[in-house]
Amino acid sequence: AQSVTQLDSQVPVFEEAPVELRCNYSSSVSVYLFWYVQYPNQGLQLLLKYLSGSTLVESINGFEAEFNKSQTSFHLRKPSVHISDTAEYFCAVSPSRGNTGKLIFGQGTTLQVKP
Amino acid sequence: EAEVAQSPRYKITEKSQAVAFWCDPISGHATLYWYRQILGQGPELLVQFQDESVVDDSQLPKDRFSAERLKGVDSTLKIQPAELGDSAMYLCASSKGGAGELFFGEGSRLTVL
């Protein structure tokens, strides 16, 4: 079985400042890793994912995450945030074999970007 | 752009009543998921379908919850009878399968009084 812990429930930050949203996971098998974002009044949407290859993955809007197997982490970072990045961010894992579509989500982190 | 459609968006019901939610996935997506999201928590998988077959329903409270996807397209999630603790957002998602991206609907918010 897998589990995900997002270490911060809320992260307030000023516009143009850097941000890191922390995610740790636990699993007895190898995993795929995901970050989903939920903007106000919208459904969850995929931000980025790690399946294999380079441990650093990037999104089209400037976010990046690095898979650290030894620390079982997949922290999300952005060097300079915008007001429009205000949203709920969810880290998720799935097994890399078997039912690879079964996502287990963390509790979520609310990113509040202030002007 | 294709979307996952869910209805109703909001539902208020009294405990012990029956309630049903409907989901229409993106056309061609073989895998359909129902998640429950309690306020302040992450989504929890209730049931996963591959076409019309259940792949995983290990977290579905089967004494009161049921789900079906009869023709392998749209799906219905039913709760009977509803309890106060069922108040939550019910999310439907679909994907092409495997480790592909899940596309979520906007959800159905249930309030049980």
Coordinates of all heavy atoms in Angstrom, one line a residue, chain B residues 15-101:
Chain B
K15 N -30.7 12.8 6.1 CA -30.2 11.5 6.4 C -31.3 10.4 6.2 O -32.4 10.7 6.4 CB -29.5 11.4 7.8 CG -30.5 11.6 8.9 CD -29.8 11.5 10.2 CE -30.7 11.7 11.4 NZ -30.1 11.5 12.7
S16 N -30.9 9.3 5.8 CA -31.7 8.1 5.5 C -32.3 8.2 4.1 O -33.0 7.2 3.7 CB -32.8 7.9 6.5 OG -33.9 8.7 6.4
Q17 N -32.2 9.3 3.4 CA -32.7 9.4 2.0 C -31.7 8.8 1.1 O -30.5 8.6 1.4 CB -33.0 10.8 1.7 CG -34.1 11.5 2.5 CD -35.4 10.8 2.3 OE1 -35.9 10.6 1.2 NE2 -35.9 10.3 3.4
A18 N -32.1 8.5 -0.2 CA -31.3 8.0 -1.2 C -30.8 9.2 -2.1 O -31.5 10.2 -2.3 CB -32.0 7.0 -2.1
V19 N -29.6 9.0 -2.6 CA -29.0 10.1 -3.5 C -28.2 9.4 -4.6 O -27.7 8.3 -4.4 CB -28.2 11.1 -2.7 CG1 -27.0 10.4 -2.0 CG2 -27.7 12.3 -3.5
A20 N -28.2 10.0 -5.7 CA -27.5 9.5 -6.9 C -26.7 10.6 -7.6 O -27.2 11.7 -7.7 CB -28.4 8.8 -7.8
F21 N -25.5 10.2 -8.1 CA -24.7 11.1 -8.8 C -24.4 10.5 -10.2 O -24.2 9.2 -10.3 CB -23.4 11.4 -8.1 CG -23.6 12.0 -6.7 CD1 -23.3 11.2 -5.6 CD2 -24.1 13.3 -6.6 CE1 -23.5 11.8 -4.3 CE2 -24.3 13.8 -5.3 CZ -24.0 13.0 -4.2
W22 N -24.3 11.3 -11.2 CA -24.1 10.8 -12.6 C -22.8 11.4 -13.1 O -22.4 12.6 -12.8 CB -25.3 11.2 -13.4 CG -25.1 10.8 -14.9 CD1 -25.3 9.6 -15.4 CD2 -24.7 11.7 -15.9 NE1 -25.1 9.7 -16.8 CE2 -24.7 11.0 -17.1 CE3 -24.4 13.1 -16.0 CZ2 -24.4 11.5 -18.4 CZ3 -24.1 13.6 -17.2 CH2 -24.1 12.9 -18.4
C23 N -22.1 10.6 -13.9 CA -20.8 11.1 -14.5 C -20.8 10.6 -16.0 O -21.0 9.4 -16.3 CB -19.6 10.5 -13.7 SG -18.0 10.8 -14.5
D24 N -20.4 11.5 -16.8 CA -20.2 11.2 -18.3 C -18.7 11.5 -18.6 O -18.3 12.6 -18.6 CB -21.1 12.0 -19.2 CG -21.0 11.5 -20.6 OD1 -20.5 10.4 -20.8 OD2 -21.5 12.3 -21.5
P25 N -17.9 10.4 -18.8 CA -16.4 10.7 -19.0 C -16.1 11.2 -20.4 O -17.0 11.3 -21.2 CB -15.9 9.2 -18.8 CG -17.0 8.4 -19.3 CD -18.2 9.0 -18.9
I26 N -14.9 11.5 -20.6 CA -14.4 12.0 -21.9 C -14.6 10.8 -22.9 O -14.2 9.6 -22.5 CB -13.0 12.5 -21.8 CG1 -12.9 13.8 -21.0 CG2 -12.4 12.7 -23.2 CD1 -11.5 14.3 -20.7
S27 N -15.1 11.1 -24.0 CA -15.3 10.0 -25.0 C -14.0 9.2 -25.3 O -13.0 9.8 -25.5 CB -15.8 10.6 -26.3 OG -16.0 9.6 -27.3
G28 N -14.1 7.9 -25.3 CA -13.0 7.1 -25.6 C -12.1 6.7 -24.3 O -11.2 5.9 -24.5
H29 N -12.4 7.3 -23.2 CA -11.7 6.9 -22.0 C -12.3 5.7 -21.4 O -13.4 5.6 -21.0 CB -11.8 8.1 -21.0 CG -10.8 9.2 -21.3 ND1 -10.5 10.2 -20.4 CD2 -10.1 9.4 -22.4 CE1 -9.7 11.0 -20.9 NE2 -9.4 10.6 -22.2
A30 N -11.4 4.6 -21.3 CA -11.9 3.3 -20.8 C -12.0 3.3 -19.3 O -12.7 2.5 -18.8 CB -11.0 2.2 -21.4
T31 N -11.2 4.0 -18.6 CA -11.1 4.0 -17.2 C -11.9 5.1 -16.5 O -11.7 6.3 -16.9 CB -9.7 4.0 -16.7 OG1 -8.9 3.0 -17.4 CG2 -9.6 3.6 -15.2
L32 N -12.7 4.8 -15.6 CA -13.5 5.8 -14.9 C -13.4 5.6 -13.4 O -13.3 4.5 -12.9 CB -15.0 5.7 -15.3 CG -16.0 6.7 -14.7 CD1 -17.1 7.0 -15.7 CD2 -16.5 6.3 -13.4
Y33 N -13.2 6.7 -12.7 CA -13.0 6.7 -11.2 C -14.0 7.5 -10.5 O -14.4 8.6 -11.0 CB -11.6 7.3 -10.9 CG -10.4 6.8 -11.6 CD1 -10.1 7.2 -12.9 CD2 -9.6 5.8 -11.0 CE1 -9.0 6.7 -13.6 CE2 -8.4 5.4 -11.7 CZ -8.2 5.8 -12.9 OH -7.1 5.3 -13.6
W34 N -14.4 7.1 -9.3 CA -15.2 7.9 -8.4 C -14.3 8.1 -7.1 O -13.8 7.1 -6.5 CB -16.5 7.2 -8.0 CG -17.6 7.3 -9.0 CD1 -18.0 6.3 -9.8 CD2 -18.4 8.4 -9.2 NE1 -19.1 6.8 -10.6 CE2 -19.3 8.0 -10.2 CE3 -18.5 9.7 -8.7 CZ2 -20.3 8.9 -10.8 CZ3 -19.5 10.6 -9.2 CH2 -20.4 10.2 -10.2
Y35 N -14.1 9.4 -6.8 CA -13.4 9.7 -5.6 C -14.3 10.5 -4.7 O -15.2 11.2 -5.1 CB -12.2 10.7 -5.9 CG -10.9 10.0 -6.5 CD1 -10.8 9.7 -7.8 CD2 -9.9 9.6 -5.6 CE1 -9.7 9.0 -8.3 CE2 -8.8 9.0 -6.1 CZ -8.6 8.7 -7.4 OH -7.5 8.1 -7.9
R36 N -14.0 10.4 -3.4 CA -14.7 11.2 -2.4 C -13.7 12.1 -1.7 O -12.6 11.7 -1.3 CB -15.4 10.3 -1.3 CG -16.0 11.1 -0.2 CD -16.8 10.2 0.7 NE -16.0 9.2 1.4 CZ -16.5 8.2 2.1 NH1 -17.8 8.1 2.4 NH2 -15.6 7.3 2.7
Q37 N -14.0 13.4 -1.6 CA -13.1 14.4 -1.0 C -13.8 15.1 0.1 O -14.7 15.9 -0.1 CB -12.6 15.4 -2.0 CG -11.6 16.4 -1.5 CD -11.1 17.3 -2.5 OE1 -11.6 17.5 -3.6 NE2 -10.0 18.0 -2.2
I38 N -13.5 14.7 1.4 CA -14.0 15.4 2.6 C -13.3 16.7 2.7 O -12.1 16.8 2.5 CB -13.9 14.5 3.8 CG1 -14.7 13.2 3.6 CG2 -14.3 15.2 5.1 CD1 -14.5 12.1 4.6
L39 N -14.0 17.7 3.2 CA -13.4 19.0 3.4 C -12.1 19.0 4.2 O -12.0 18.4 5.2 CB -14.4 20.0 4.1 CG -14.0 21.4 4.1 CD1 -14.0 22.0 2.7 CD2 -15.0 22.2 5.0
G40 N -11.0 19.5 3.6 CA -9.7 19.6 4.2 C -8.9 18.4 4.0 O -7.8 18.3 4.5
Q41 N -9.4 17.4 3.2 CA -8.6 16.2 2.9 C -8.4 16.0 1.4 O -9.1 16.7 0.6 CB -9.3 15.0 3.5 CG -9.5 15.1 5.0 CD -10.2 13.8 5.6 OE1 -10.2 12.8 5.0 NE2 -10.8 13.9 6.8
G42 N -7.5 15.1 1.1 CA -7.3 14.8 -0.3 C -8.4 13.8 -0.8 O -9.1 13.2 0.0
P43 N -8.5 13.7 -2.1 CA -9.5 12.7 -2.7 C -9.1 11.3 -2.3 O -8.0 10.9 -2.3 CB -9.3 12.9 -4.2 CG -8.8 14.3 -4.3 CD -7.9 14.5 -3.2
E44 N -10.2 10.5 -2.0 CA -10.0 9.1 -1.7 C -10.8 8.3 -2.7 O -11.9 8.5 -3.0 CB -10.6 8.8 -0.3 CG -10.6 7.4 0.1 CD -11.5 7.1 1.3 OE1 -12.4 7.9 1.6 OE2 -11.3 6.1 2.0
L45 N -10.1 7.3 -3.3 CA -10.7 6.5 -4.3 C -11.8 5.6 -3.7 O -11.6 4.9 -2.8 CB -9.7 5.6 -5.0 CG -10.2 4.7 -6.1 CD1 -10.7 5.5 -7.3 CD2 -9.1 3.7 -6.5
L46 N -13.0 5.7 -4.3 CA -14.1 4.8 -3.9 C -14.2 3.6 -4.9 O -14.3 2.5 -4.4 CB -15.4 5.6 -4.0 CG -15.6 6.7 -2.9 CD1 -16.9 7.4 -3.2 CD2 -15.6 6.1 -1.5
V47 N -14.2 3.8 -6.2 CA -14.3 2.8 -7.1 C -13.7 3.1 -8.4 O -13.7 4.3 -8.8 CB -15.8 2.4 -7.3 CG1 -16.6 3.6 -7.9 CG2 -16.0 1.2 -8.2
Q48 N -13.1 2.1 -9.1 CA -12.4 2.3 -10.4 C -13.0 1.3 -11.4 O -13.1 0.1 -11.0 CB -10.9 2.1 -10.2 CG -10.1 2.2 -11.5 CD -8.6 1.9 -11.3 OE1 -8.2 1.7 -10.2 NE2 -7.9 1.8 -12.4
F49 N -13.4 1.7 -12.5 CA -13.9 0.9 -13.6 C -12.9 0.8 -14.8 O -12.3 1.9 -15.1 CB -15.3 1.4 -14.1 CG -16.4 1.3 -13.2 CD1 -16.8 2.4 -12.4 CD2 -17.2 0.2 -13.2 CE1 -17.8 2.3 -11.5 CE2 -18.3 0.1 -12.4 CZ -18.6 1.2 -11.5
Q50 N -12.8 -0.3 -15.4 CA -12.2 -0.5 -16.7 C -13.3 -1.0 -17.6 O -13.8 -2.1 -17.4 CB -11.0 -1.5 -16.6 CG -10.4 -1.7 -17.9 CD -9.5 -0.5 -18.4 OE1 -9.1 0.3 -17.6 NE2 -9.4 -0.4 -19.7
D51 N -13.7 -0.1 -18.5 CA -14.9 -0.3 -19.3 C -16.1 -0.6 -18.3 O -16.3 0.3 -17.5 CB -14.7 -1.5 -20.2 CG -13.6 -1.2 -21.2 OD1 -13.6 -0.1 -21.8 OD2 -12.7 -2.1 -21.4
E52 N -16.8 -1.7 -18.4 CA -17.9 -1.9 -17.5 C -17.5 -2.7 -16.2 O -18.4 -2.9 -15.4 CB -19.1 -2.5 -18.2 CG -18.8 -3.9 -18.7 CD -18.1 -4.0 -20.0 OE1 -17.7 -3.0 -20.5 OE2 -18.1 -5.1 -20.6
S53 N -16.3 -3.1 -16.1 CA -15.9 -4.0 -15.0 C -15.2 -3.2 -13.9 O -14.5 -2.2 -14.1 CB -14.9 -5.0 -15.5 OG -15.5 -5.8 -16.5
V54 N -15.5 -3.6 -12.7 CA -14.9 -3.0 -11.5 C -13.5 -3.5 -11.3 O -13.2 -4.7 -11.3 CB -15.7 -3.3 -10.2 CG1 -15.0 -2.7 -9.0 CG2 -17.1 -2.6 -10.3
V55 N -12.5 -2.5 -11.2 CA -11.1 -2.9 -11.1 C -10.8 -2.9 -9.6 O -10.1 -3.7 -9.1 CB -10.2 -1.9 -11.8 CG1 -8.7 -2.2 -11.5 CG2 -10.5 -2.1 -13.3
D56 N -11.3 -1.8 -8.9 CA -11.0 -1.7 -7.5 C -12.2 -1.0 -6.8 O -12.6 0.1 -7.2 CB -9.7 -0.8 -7.3 CG -9.2 -0.8 -5.9 OD1 -10.0 -0.6 -4.9 OD2 -8.0 -1.0 -5.7
D57 N -12.7 -1.6 -5.8 CA -13.8 -1.0 -5.0 C -13.5 -1.3 -3.5 O -14.4 -1.4 -2.7 CB -15.2 -1.5 -5.4 CG -15.4 -3.0 -5.2 OD1 -14.4 -3.7 -4.8 OD2 -16.5 -3.4 -5.4
S58 N -12.2 -1.4 -3.2 CA -11.8 -1.8 -1.8 C -12.2 -0.8 -0.8 O -12.4 -1.1 0.4 CB -10.3 -2.1 -1.8 OG -9.6 -1.0 -2.2
Q59 N -12.4 0.5 -1.1 CA -12.7 1.5 -0.2 C -14.2 2.0 -0.3 O -14.6 2.9 0.4 CB -11.8 2.7 -0.4 CG -10.3 2.4 -0.1 CD -10.1 1.9 1.3 OE1 -10.5 2.4 2.3 NE2 -9.3 0.7 1.3
L60 N -15.0 1.3 -1.1 CA -16.4 1.6 -1.2 C -17.2 1.0 -0.1 O -17.1 -0.3 0.1 CB -16.9 1.1 -2.6 CG -18.3 1.5 -3.0 CD1 -18.3 3.0 -3.3 CD2 -18.8 0.7 -4.1
P61 N -17.9 1.8 0.7 CA -18.7 1.2 1.8 C -19.9 0.5 1.2 O -21.0 1.1 0.9 CB -19.2 2.4 2.6 CG -18.3 3.5 2.2 CD -17.9 3.2 0.7
K62 N -19.8 -0.8 0.9 CA -20.8 -1.5 0.1 C -22.1 -1.7 0.7 O -23.1 -2.1 0.1 CB -20.2 -2.8 -0.4 CG -18.9 -2.7 -1.2 CD -18.3 -4.0 -1.6 CE -17.0 -3.9 -2.3 NZ -16.0 -3.3 -1.4
D63 N -22.2 -1.5 2.1 CA -23.5 -1.6 2.7 C -24.4 -0.5 2.3 O -25.7 -0.7 2.4 CB -23.3 -1.6 4.2 CG -22.6 -0.4 4.8 OD1 -21.8 0.2 4.0 OD2 -22.9 -0.1 5.9
R64 N -23.9 0.6 1.9 CA -24.8 1.8 1.5 C -24.4 2.4 0.1 O -25.2 3.1 -0.4 CB -24.7 2.8 2.6 CG -25.1 2.4 3.9 CD -25.1 3.6 4.9 NE -23.8 4.1 5.1 CZ -23.4 5.3 4.6 NH1 -24.3 6.0 3.9 NH2 -22.2 5.7 4.8
F65 N -23.3 2.1 -0.4 CA -22.8 2.7 -1.7 C -22.9 1.7 -2.7 O -22.5 0.5 -2.5 CB -21.4 3.3 -1.6 CG -21.2 4.5 -0.8 CD1 -21.5 4.6 0.6 CD2 -20.8 5.7 -1.4 CE1 -21.4 5.8 1.3 CE2 -20.6 6.9 -0.7 CZ -20.9 6.9 0.6
S66 N -23.3 2.1 -3.9 CA -23.2 1.2 -5.1 C -22.8 2.1 -6.3 O -23.1 3.3 -6.3 CB -24.5 0.5 -5.4 OG -25.5 1.4 -5.7
A67 N -22.1 1.4 -7.3 CA -21.7 2.2 -8.5 C -21.9 1.2 -9.6 O -21.7 0.0 -9.5 CB -20.3 2.6 -8.4
E68 N -22.3 1.8 -10.8 CA -22.4 1.0 -12.0 C -22.0 1.8 -13.2 O -22.0 3.0 -13.2 CB -23.8 0.4 -12.1 CG -24.9 1.5 -12.2 CD -26.3 0.9 -12.3 OE1 -26.5 -0.3 -12.0 OE2 -27.2 1.7 -12.7
R69 N -21.5 1.0 -14.2 CA -21.1 1.6 -15.5 C -21.6 0.6 -16.5 O -20.8 -0.1 -17.1 CB -19.6 1.8 -15.5 CG -19.2 2.7 -16.7 CD -17.7 2.9 -16.8 NE -17.3 3.8 -17.8 CZ -16.1 3.8 -18.3 NH1 -15.1 3.0 -17.9 NH2 -15.8 4.7 -19.3
L70 N -22.9 0.5 -16.7 CA -23.5 -0.6 -17.4 C -23.0 -0.8 -18.9 O -22.7 -1.9 -19.3 CB -25.0 -0.5 -17.4 CG -25.7 -0.6 -16.0 CD1 -27.2 -0.4 -16.1 CD2 -25.4 -2.0 -15.5
K71 N -22.8 0.2 -19.6 CA -22.4 0.1 -21.0 C -21.0 0.6 -21.2 O -20.6 0.8 -22.4 CB -23.4 0.9 -21.9 CG -24.8 0.4 -21.9 CD -25.7 1.1 -22.9 CE -27.1 0.6 -22.8 NZ -28.0 1.3 -23.8
G72 N -20.3 0.7 -20.1 CA -18.9 1.1 -20.2 C -18.7 2.5 -20.6 O -17.6 2.9 -21.1
V73 N -19.7 3.4 -20.5 CA -19.6 4.8 -20.8 C -19.9 5.6 -19.6 O -19.0 5.8 -18.8 CB -20.5 5.2 -22.0 CG1 -20.3 6.6 -22.4 CG2 -20.3 4.3 -23.2
D74 N -21.1 6.1 -19.4 CA -21.4 6.9 -18.2 C -21.6 6.0 -17.0 O -21.7 4.8 -17.1 CB -22.6 7.8 -18.5 CG -23.8 7.0 -18.8 OD1 -23.7 5.9 -19.3 OD2 -24.9 7.6 -18.6
S75 N -21.6 6.6 -15.8 CA -21.6 5.9 -14.6 C -22.5 6.6 -13.6 O -22.7 7.8 -13.6 CB -20.2 5.8 -14.0 OG -20.2 5.2 -12.8
T76 N -23.1 5.8 -12.7 CA -23.9 6.3 -11.6 C -23.4 5.8 -10.2 O -23.0 4.6 -10.1 CB -25.4 5.9 -11.7 OG1 -25.8 6.4 -13.0 CG2 -26.2 6.5 -10.6
L77 N -23.3 6.7 -9.3 CA -22.9 6.4 -7.9 C -24.1 6.7 -7.0 O -24.7 7.8 -7.1 CB -21.7 7.2 -7.4 CG -21.2 7.1 -6.0 CD1 -20.6 5.7 -5.8 CD2 -20.2 8.2 -5.6
K78 N -24.5 5.7 -6.2 CA -25.7 5.8 -5.4 C -25.3 5.6 -3.9 O -24.5 4.8 -3.6 CB -26.7 4.8 -5.8 CG -27.3 5.0 -7.2 CD -28.3 3.9 -7.6 CE -28.8 4.1 -9.0 NZ -29.8 3.0 -9.4
I79 N -26.0 6.3 -3.1 CA -25.9 6.2 -1.7 C -27.3 6.0 -1.1 O -28.2 6.8 -1.3 CB -25.3 7.4 -1.0 CG1 -23.9 7.8 -1.7 CG2 -25.0 7.2 0.5 CD1 -23.4 9.1 -1.2
Q80 N -27.5 4.9 -0.4 CA -28.8 4.6 0.2 C -28.6 3.7 1.5 O -28.1 2.6 1.3 CB -29.7 4.0 -0.8 CG -31.1 3.7 -0.2 CD -32.1 3.2 -1.3 OE1 -31.7 2.8 -2.3 NE2 -33.4 3.3 -0.9
P81 N -28.9 4.2 2.7 CA -29.4 5.5 3.0 C -28.2 6.5 3.3 O -27.1 6.0 3.7 CB -30.1 5.3 4.3 CG -29.4 4.2 4.9 CD -28.9 3.3 3.8
A82 N -28.4 7.7 3.0 CA -27.3 8.7 3.3 C -27.2 8.9 4.8 O -28.2 8.9 5.5 CB -27.6 10.0 2.6
E83 N -25.9 9.1 5.2 CA -25.6 9.4 6.6 C -24.9 10.8 6.7 O -24.4 11.3 5.7 CB -24.7 8.3 7.2 CG -25.4 7.0 7.3 CD -24.5 5.9 7.9 OE1 -23.3 6.2 8.1 OE2 -25.0 4.8 8.1
L84 N -24.9 11.4 7.9 CA -24.3 12.7 8.0 C -22.8 12.7 7.6 O -22.4 13.7 7.0 CB -24.4 13.1 9.5 CG -25.8 13.4 10.1 CD1 -25.7 13.7 11.5 CD2 -26.6 14.4 9.3
G85 N -22.1 11.6 7.8 CA -20.7 11.5 7.5 C -20.5 11.4 6.0 O -19.3 11.5 5.6
D86 N -21.5 11.3 5.2 CA -21.3 11.2 3.8 C -21.2 12.6 3.1 O -20.9 12.7 1.9 CB -22.5 10.5 3.1 CG -22.6 9.1 3.6 OD1 -21.6 8.5 3.9 OD2 -23.8 8.5 3.6
S87 N -21.4 13.7 3.9 CA -21.2 15.0 3.3 C -19.8 15.2 2.8 O -18.9 15.0 3.6 CB -21.5 16.0 4.4 OG -22.9 16.0 4.8
A88 N -19.7 15.5 1.5 CA -18.4 15.6 0.9 C -18.6 16.0 -0.5 O -19.7 16.2 -1.0 CB -17.7 14.2 0.9
M89 N -17.4 16.2 -1.2 CA -17.4 16.4 -2.7 C -17.2 15.0 -3.3 O -16.2 14.3 -3.0 CB -16.4 17.4 -3.1 CG -16.3 17.6 -4.6 SD -17.6 18.7 -5.1 CE -16.9 20.3 -4.8
Y90 N -18.0 14.7 -4.3 CA -17.8 13.4 -5.0 C -17.3 13.7 -6.4 O -18.0 14.4 -7.2 CB -19.1 12.6 -5.1 CG -19.5 12.1 -3.7 CD1 -20.1 12.9 -2.7 CD2 -19.1 10.8 -3.3 CE1 -20.4 12.4 -1.5 CE2 -19.3 10.4 -2.0 CZ -20.0 11.2 -1.1 OH -20.2 10.7 0.2
L91 N -16.1 13.3 -6.7 CA -15.4 13.6 -7.9 C -15.4 12.4 -8.8 O -15.1 11.3 -8.4 CB -14.0 14.0 -7.6 CG -13.7 15.1 -6.6 CD1 -12.2 15.2 -6.3 CD2 -14.2 16.4 -7.2
C92 N -15.6 12.7 -10.1 CA -15.5 11.6 -11.1 C -14.3 12.0 -12.0 O -14.1 13.2 -12.3 CB -16.8 11.6 -12.0 SG -16.7 10.3 -13.3
A93 N -13.6 11.0 -12.4 CA -12.4 11.2 -13.3 C -12.4 10.1 -14.3 O -12.9 9.0 -14.1 CB -11.1 11.3 -12.5
S94 N -11.7 10.4 -15.5 CA -11.6 9.4 -16.5 C -10.2 9.5 -17.1 O -9.5 10.5 -17.0 CB -12.6 9.5 -17.6 OG -12.4 10.7 -18.4
S95 N -9.7 8.4 -17.6 CA -8.4 8.3 -18.3 C -8.4 7.3 -19.4 O -9.3 6.5 -19.5 CB -7.3 8.0 -17.3 OG -7.3 6.7 -17.0
K96 N -7.4 7.3 -20.2 CA -7.3 6.3 -21.3 C -6.8 5.0 -20.7 O -6.8 4.0 -21.4 CB -6.3 6.9 -22.4 CG -6.8 8.1 -23.1 CD -5.8 8.5 -24.2 CE -6.4 9.7 -25.0 NZ -5.4 10.1 -26.0
G97 N -6.3 5.0 -19.5 CA -5.8 3.8 -18.8 C -4.4 3.9 -18.5 O -3.7 4.8 -18.9
G98 N -3.9 2.9 -17.8 CA -2.5 2.9 -17.4 C -2.1 4.0 -16.5 O -2.9 4.5 -15.7
A99 N -0.9 4.5 -16.7 CA -0.5 5.7 -15.9 C -0.8 7.0 -16.6 O -0.1 8.0 -16.4 CB 1.0 5.6 -15.6
G100 N -1.8 7.0 -17.4 CA -2.2 8.2 -18.1 C -2.8 9.2 -17.2 O -3.3 8.9 -16.1
E101 N -2.9 10.4 -17.7 CA -3.5 11.5 -16.9 C -4.9 11.3 -16.6 O -5.7 10.8 -17.5 CB -3.3 12.8 -17.8 CG -3.9 14.0 -17.1 CD -3.7 15.3 -18.0 OE1 -3.0 15.2 -19.0 OE2 -4.3 16.3 -17.6

